[in-house]
Amino acid sequence: MISLAGRDILNTWGKFIFTGIGLGLLIGVTLTMAGVYRGMVDDGKALLDNSGADLWVVQQDTLGPYAESSSINDDLYRSILSMPGVAEAANVTYLTMQVRQGRRDVRAMVVGVVAGSSGKPGWPPYLVAGRQITRSHYEAVADIATGFELGDRIQVRRNQYTVVGLTRRMVSSSGDPMVFIPLKDAQEVQFLKDNDAVLQQRRRTAENPMLNRPGVPGLLDAVIATQSSNPYVNAVLVRIRPGFSAEGIARPIRRWQRLTAYTRSQMEEILIGKLIATSSRQIGMFLVILAIVSAAIVAFIIYTLTMDKIREIAVLKLIGTRNRTIAAMIMQQAVVLGVIGFVVGKVTATFAAPYFPKYVLLMPLDSVTGFFAVLMICVLASLVAIRMALKVDPAEAIGG
Amino acid sequence: MNKGIVIEGMRKRYGTGDTAVDALKKVDMQVEPGEVVGLIGPSGSGKSTLLKSLGAVIDPSAGRMMLGGEVIYDEGWKAPDLRALRRDKIGFVFQAPYLIPFLDVTDNVALLPMLAGLPNGEARQRALDLLTALDVQHRARAMPSQLSGGEQQRVAIARGLVNRPPVILADEPTAPLDSERAMSVIRILNDMAKKYETAIIVVTHDEKIIPTFKRIYHIRDGVTHEEVGERRGFD
C-alpha cells in the first residue's frame, strides 16, 4: 500500500517545509527556554562546585550568602578552624554590582577572598590565563565572560584593580560572571561611603555629646575608627577532612557558635528550590503557553490542509478507503510536520544558544522529552481534522 | 440471474411526517453485463438520489437492489459491508474526474486494487494495462494537473474499471468535454463494457451522446420509465 500522507507531502513539500520551519522556530524557542532553566540550575551548581566548600557558615537564621544577605564577624573563622574535622575555613564576601572598565561596565559578582591563600575555599579552582591574586590590594581575577583581559584596569567603586588572572565558568546563581578581589578591598567595597558622607558622619559623631565627652579623651577617635572599618564578611566557607560528615560538623556550629551552617545538599536546595524557584515557574508557564500555541498552530495547519482535500477524501471514501487509512494519512502528516519542526527547532536552539547572554544548557534528555512531547501534541492536534474528515459523506463526491 | 444491475420497486423518502419528501417513488431498472444504458431526467427528478442509492452511499427506504448478482438492499435489509462493496463491485466515473492530486496517474488507478489488498506491483501492472487500453499509457508518471481534460477523464474511467467491478456508475462523464472527446469517452465505455462484461449506467444531459445508447431510462418525479422503441446504439 502506498503512503498517501507521504505522497501528499511530496506533492506540496514547499508548504510543508515552510510550515515546518515556522513551527520549528517556535519549538526552538521552547527548547531554548528549557535550556535557560537548565542553565540556571547548572549555574547554581557551578557556584557551589567552584566554591570548593563542604559547609557554608552564615549569619544565624538567614539563607545566606547567596539567597539572603548574611553578615558575620571576620574573626569567627578561627574558632571554626579549631573544630575537629575542619580542614580549612576561609572568609568570603559576595556583592553583585557594576564593574567598570573605561566607558563600559559589566554586571558581575565581586567576590572577596583572602589574598595569598590560593586553593582555599572560595578561590577560583583553576585559571585559564595569568596567575592568582598574591597582593593584598588592587589585583583581580575575572571570569572570561566579563570580557576583561589580562592587564586590564577595572574599577570597583573608587578603587582600580589590575586583572592578573582569568578563569572560566565562575558565575553567580543568576549567571553573572565573577570578579575576585582581595578580601580587605571587598569588605571596604561593601561598606565604603562617599567622601561627603564620611565627613557628614564624622561631624555628626563629633557633635554627639555621648560620643564626644570632654572628660574622656580618645573616645571620639575610637568611635570614628570603628565607623571607618568593616569587620564583617558574608560567610565562612569550610572544607572538612576526609572521614568526617558535614552535618556532624554543622550541628555544633549551629548550637555553640550561634550561627547557621548549611551542607552542600542544603545549599543546593536553597539555590534551586528557593532562589530560582520563581524563575523556573515563570519558564514553566512559558513552556505551557508555547506548547499550547504549538498545538494550536499544528491543529490549524492540519485542519486547513484537510479542508483543502475534502473532495478527495469524499472520493477516497466513496471508492472504499477505510476510515483508518484516511485517519492515518492525516495523523502521519501532523507527525511529519512535528518531526520537521523538531529538527528545525533543535538546530535553531543549538546554534542560537551560545549567543544568549546567560548560559543555555541544552540537555539530550530534554531534547528526547521534547521530541516525544511534539509528537504527542501533533497527534492530539490532528484529532480535530481527523474528526472532520471522518464526518465527510462519500455522497459528496457524487454531488447533486 | 442478471449479473449486472437489478432494481425493483425502489423508493427513497427524506424526512418524516408533513415535511417528508419522496425523492424516488418507483424505480425499476435492469442493466445486463456488457450493456451501457443512459439515464436521463430533468433537475430534481431524482437522478442524484438514484445514483447515490446505486452507489451504496444512501439507503433506499424500500425496494430491492442487486449488483453483480448480489443482493445489496431488500426491503429494509442491507449488505453488511457497503464500503467493501463499493470498492469491489462498483466503479465510479464522475462529471469532473476528481483524481487524487497528490498521486500520479498510475497510482491514482492502482490505489483501488491496493486498497483491496493486491500487492503494489500487481496493482500497478493492472493499472498500466488499463491505461494502455485507454491510450494514456504515455502519461503514466504524470500528475493529474499535467493532463488535459480528456486524458483526466480517461484516467478516471481506468480507475472505475481497475477493480473489474460488475457495475460502473458514470455521472455526466462527458459534461466538461467537447463533442469529439465526449464521443471518445462513450466509445471507451462501450468497449470496456463489452471487454469486461460490465453493466454501465451513464447519467447525462448531453444531447450529442443520447443517440449512442441502445436503451434509455427516463426519470421524472422519482419514477423511471424505459424508453420504448428501437434505438441506433453505438456503432
Side-chain angles (χ1 to χ4, degrees):
Chain A
M1 181 64 193
I2 52 177
S3 165
L4 293 174
R7 294 301 181 86
D8 192 20
I9 291 166
L10 284 176
N11 192 48
T12 53
W13 64 269
K15 192 188 282 185
F16 262 85
I17 293 292
F18 282 111
T19 309
I21 288 172
L23 181 66
L25 294 176
L26 199 62
I27 292 170
V29 172
T30 310
L31 290 174
T32 307
M33 292 295 285
V36 167
Y37 169 71
R38 294 293 186 191
M40 286 165 67
V41 172
D42 198 66
D43 281 347
K45 286 182 177 171
L47 174 64
L48 301 183
D49 289 340
N50 292 335
S51 69
D54 300 312
L55 214 54
W56 284 256
V57 180
V58 297
Q59 183 182 337
Q60 196 171 36
D61 299 330
T62 70
L63 294 171
Y66 310 118
E68 287 181 358
S69 67
S70 154
S71 184
I72 57 176
N73 277 95
D74 60 5
D75 57 357
L76 275 170
Y77 80 96
R78 291 196 183 94
S79 54
I80 293 169
L81 197 55
S82 67
M83 293 176 69
V86 173
E88 287 174 310
N91 286 326
V92 68
T93 64
Y94 296 103
L95 179 66
T96 300
M97 60 181 296
Q98 296 298 120
V99 175
R100 289 176 187 78
Q101 187 214 14
R103 286 185 174 179
R104 76 181 184 110
D105 58 4
V106 176
R107 183 130 193 103
M109 177 182 259
V110 175
V111 184
V113 291
V114 181
S117 57
S118 169
K120 281 200 170 180
W123 277 75
Y126 60 92
L127 299 179
V128 292
R131 60 170 174 79
Q132 296 280 16
I133 298 166
T134 54
R135 295 169 59 191
S136 298
H137 294 286
Y138 313 128
E139 284 188 346
V141 168
D143 187 280
I144 56 168
T146 56
F148 301 149
E149 292 176 3
L150 286 180
D152 278 356
R153 301 278 288 167
I154 59 174
Q155 188 168 341
V156 180
R157 288 280 166 87
R158 281 192 309 215
N159 294 330
Q160 293 217 326
Y161 297 79
T162 303
V163 177
V164 296
L166 293 173
T167 185
R168 186 193 293 275
R169 198 78 191 99
M170 295 295 291
V171 291
S172 73
S173 60
S174 53
D176 299 320
M178 286 180 173
V179 172
F180 295 84
I181 61 173
L183 183 71
K184 288 289 177 194
D185 289 349
Q187 285 176 297
E188 193 182 313
V189 165
Q190 286 202 345
F191 172 75
L192 190 66
K193 295 187 174 74
D194 61 89
N195 288 344
D196 289 341
V198 172
L199 285 172
Q200 290 284 350
Q201 189 179 35
R202 283 180 185 167
R203 186 178 57 77
R204 285 181 180 181
T205 307
E207 287 173 2
N208 186 335
M210 296 293 288
L211 303 175
N212 190 8
R213 295 180 191 174
V216 188
L219 175 61
L220 179 63
D221 292 336
V223 170
I224 287 173
T226 60
Q227 287 175 342
S228 306
S229 63
N230 175 18
Y232 298 102
V233 293
N234 298 125
V236 174
L237 304 184
V238 178
R239 192 176 290 157
I240 60 171
R241 292 181 193 282
F244 288 84
S245 86
E247 185 55 38
I249 294 171
R251 213 173 296 122
I253 291 175
R254 291 184 198 122
R255 183 169 184 185
W256 302 112
Q257 306 277 357
R258 302 292 177 188
L259 296 166
T260 295
Y262 295 112
T263 62
R264 160 72 198 233
S265 59
Q266 288 168 333
M267 192 50 85
E268 200 170 305
E269 171 60 26
I270 290 170
L271 279 177
I272 295 162
K274 298 185 193 302
L275 200 59
I276 62 173
T278 310
S279 301
S280 65
R281 278 199 295 272
Q282 182 100 333
I283 289 170
M285 276 303 294
F286 265 116
L287 290 178
V288 169
I289 290 167
L290 286 170
I292 292 169
V293 171
S294 303
I297 288 174
V298 174
F300 176 74
I301 291 163
I302 293 296
Y303 184 83
T304 309
L305 289 174
T306 307
M307 282 293 283
D308 291 344
K309 290 195 289 278
I310 283 294
R311 179 68 82 171
E312 286 79 18
I313 288 170
V315 172
L316 284 170
K317 291 178 90 169
L318 183 69
I319 64 179
T321 309
R322 288 186 180 90
N323 277 345
R324 69 165 180 262
T325 305
I326 293 167
M329 175 180 79
I330 296 167
M331 195 173 281
Q332 283 165 14
Q333 288 183 341
V335 168
V336 168
L337 199 59
V339 170
I340 293 171
F342 180 81
V343 170
V344 172
K346 176 68 183 156
V347 170
T348 307
T350 304
F351 281 97
Y355 296 100
F356 277 76
K358 283 194 178 182
Y359 184 46
V360 178
L361 177 60
L362 300 171
M363 296 183 75
L365 183 65
D366 287 346
S367 298
V368 172
T369 309
F371 179 70
F372 286 106
V374 166
L375 291 190
M376 199 178 73
I377 285 170
C378 288
V379 167
L380 291 176
S382 69
L383 294 180
V384 181
I386 288 172
R387 189 164 174 268
M388 188 196 66
L390 297 187
K391 275 185 175 175
V392 172
D393 187 353
E396 282 183 33
I398 295 176
Chain B
M1 181 198 282
N2 186 340
K3 293 269 186 184
I5 302 166
V6 178
I7 302 174
E8 292 166 356
M10 182 190 282
R11 288 192 286 119
K12 175 64 185 175
R13 170 174 285 192
Y14 290 110
T16 53
D18 294 341
T19 57
V21 175
D22 288 315
L24 298 178
K25 291 172 183 163
K26 187 176 185 302
V27 175
D28 294 293
M29 288 178 81
Q30 286 214 11
V31 185
E32 296 290 333
E35 191 182 19
V36 181
V37 303
L39 178 65
I40 300 165
S43 287
S45 59
K47 284 197 309 293
S48 292
T49 303
L50 175 56
L51 210 58
K52 286 173 185 173
S53 299
L54 279 164
V57 289
I58 61 170
D59 300 338
S61 306
R64 188 164 184 268
M65 184 170 94
M66 288 173 70
L67 297 179
E70 194 176 319
V71 178
I72 310 303
Y73 296 105
D74 191 0
E75 301 299 342
W77 177 90
K78 65 177 178 182
D81 190 353
L82 294 179
R83 182 191 56 75
L85 185 126
R86 286 200 299 272
R87 185 189 65 206
D88 300 333
K89 298 267 184 194
I90 309 169
F92 295 92
V93 180
F94 309 106
Q95 181 176 346
Y98 295 145
L99 299 176
I100 308 299
F102 49 82
L103 297 180
D104 65 21
V105 164
T106 308
D107 284 342
N108 254 289
V109 180
L111 179 63
L112 257 92
M114 286 178 189
L115 289 172
L118 215 62
N120 286 7
E122 210 175 312
R124 286 204 175 97
Q125 189 53 54
R126 194 190 275 192
L128 283 171
D129 291 346
L130 261 174
L131 292 171
T132 305
L134 291 163
D135 200 23
V136 274
Q137 75 281 6
H138 58 291
R139 309 305 305 258
R141 304 312 306 172
M143 298 304 282
S145 58
Q146 297 169 318
L147 304 181
S148 68
E151 286 172 333
Q152 286 190 21
Q153 200 59 298
R154 274 185 279 170
V155 174
I157 292 168
R159 182 176 64 184
L161 287 163
V162 71
N163 264 1
R164 293 166 191 167
V167 172
I168 285 187
L169 305 175
D171 184 13
E172 302 200 39
T174 60
L177 305 176
D178 58 37
S179 301
E180 194 181 330
R181 289 202 174 101
M183 291 311 282
S184 166
V185 165
I186 293 303
R187 177 178 284 112
I188 289 166
L189 287 175
N190 275 277
D191 290 348
M192 295 296 140
K194 287 190 181 80
K195 188 172 180 182
Y196 296 112
E197 283 291 294
T198 308
I200 300 179
I201 292 180
V202 179
V203 176
T204 188
H205 285 114
D206 194 341
E207 295 291 336
K208 299 184 295 289
I209 65 165
I210 289 171
T212 67
F213 300 116
K214 276 192 175 166
R215 287 201 303 132
I216 285 180
Y217 281 94
H218 289 270
I219 182 166
R220 186 179 291 274
D221 297 331
V223 180
T224 51
H225 310 275
E226 187 177 353
E227 193 175 290
V228 183
E230 272 297 302
R231 297 187 61 81
R232 174 169 59 87
F234 194 85
D235 300 322

